[in-house]
Amino acid sequence: PAIGVNLKYRITEKFFVRSGIMVGRIQGDDKKNRPDLRMRNLNFKSHLYDFHAGLEYRLLDGEVFPVTPYVFAGAAVFSFNPYTFYGPDNERVYLQPLGTEGQGLPEYPDRKPYALMQPALLYGGGIRWQVSCNLNIGIELRQTKTFTDYLDDVSTTYANRDALLRGNGPLALELAWRGDELNGAPYPDVFLNRGNPKGKDWYYFFGLTAGLRLKDCE
């Protein structure tokens, strides 16, 4: 689920400057993943706060045509903070401070703790219908390319078990691999992939829109 507010300013008949905020939630669970990944038994949730700005181009003049397709592109700054639930009391545990893939350990100098606020690029499109002089409704799809692979706290290979336990503590070790909760499977070999480091994460917004003109119709 997500909700947002945009403000648009008309430059020409077809070009608009747009900016806004989106608030949503992302989540994933290996129980619903493909069979070869269910054994990890990892899961996460995160609230997502997204501030964005860009340009919108309407393919038709909205003052002439009541139904207008449009495209847009821009940049964003977003914040996230993945967490899971763990323990007999099912307590919420935030994952970034734990360094579940060995972030911050001297054994992995290339694995730094990831920032919880990041830049992103976005693009998308939609269709709007001018219901009345002041009101329009429509649908919109927005795709957002991030520069992090840790929206879900999962990216690369498993860290060495002993190094992770010694450096980041037992909770980091417990939440780096949760397959043992399913069938007692031991912690994986250090060379096995925990995630897919070859690509960065994306997130998407799709939904209904409603627009209100803030100045009187001409």
Side-chain angles (χ1 to χ4, degrees):
I3 189 171
V5 176
N6 284 323
L7 183 64
K8 301 181 183 182
Y9 179 78
R10 182 174 180 172
I11 303 174
T12 68
E13 288 80 3
K14 294 184 178 181
F15 272 106
F16 288 74
V17 175
R18 55 182 282 161
S19 63
I21 178 173
M22 294 288 292
V23 179
R25 189 177 70 179
I26 54 175
Q27 62 185 30
D29 195 323
D30 277 340
K31 291 183 174 64
K32 302 176 181 179
N33 214 334
R34 63 179 193 256
D36 61 308
L37 291 177
R38 291 176 191 166
M39 60 186 301
R40 297 183 311 184
N41 196 34
L42 300 177
N43 66 80
F44 86 103
K45 294 183 178 180
S46 178
H47 292 95
L48 190 68
Y49 301 92
D50 173 293
F51 305 87
H52 55 272
L55 289 176
E56 178 179 308
Y57 178 72
R58 297 182 181 174
L59 304 182
L60 301 172
D61 186 348
E63 300 297 324
V64 178
F65 300 94
V67 178
T68 309
Y70 61 91
V71 294
F72 60 89
V77 175
F78 70 97
S79 66
F80 67 108
N81 198 1
Y83 62 88
T84 188
F85 293 94
Y86 179 74
D89 297 326
N90 207 30
E91 295 182 1
R92 179 181 298 192
V93 179
Y94 287 95
L95 297 168
Q96 187 259 11
L98 299 179
T100 55
E101 293 188 351
Q103 296 98 326
L105 297 182
E107 291 86 352
Y108 301 97
D110 58 327
R111 301 186 186 183
K112 306 297 183 183
Y114 53 89
L116 296 178
M117 181 171 288
Q118 302 256 359
L121 299 177
L122 62 93
Y123 64 89
I127 299 176
R128 64 189 292 276
W129 173 39
Q130 197 70 37
V131 179
S132 67
C133 176
N134 291 97
L135 177 67
N136 66 78
I137 59 175
I139 57 173
E140 182 174 291
L141 170 66
R142 197 193 102 182
Q143 303 185 72
T144 308
K145 174 180 173 54
T146 78
F147 298 95
T148 181
D149 196 31
Y150 281 107
L151 280 183
D152 53 3
D153 192 63
V154 175
S155 177
T156 184
T157 60
Y158 290 94
N160 176 270
R161 182 187 187 282
D162 294 335
L164 188 60
L165 177 61
R166 181 175 59 253
N168 290 351
L171 187 56
L173 181 63
E174 290 291 333
L175 297 181
W177 164 257
R178 304 187 68 174
D180 56 330
E181 298 175 20
L182 291 178
N183 52 23
Y187 189 87
D189 187 282
V190 67
F191 297 108
L192 291 179
N193 281 341
R194 186 170 183 258
N196 178 12
K198 295 181 180 180
K200 303 301 183 183
D201 291 330
W202 292 67
Y203 62 88
Y204 309 82
F205 291 119
F206 176 72
L208 302 176
T209 65
L212 183 65
R213 190 193 299 260
L214 299 181
K215 65 177 183 178
D216 293 337
C217 297
E218 296 177 356

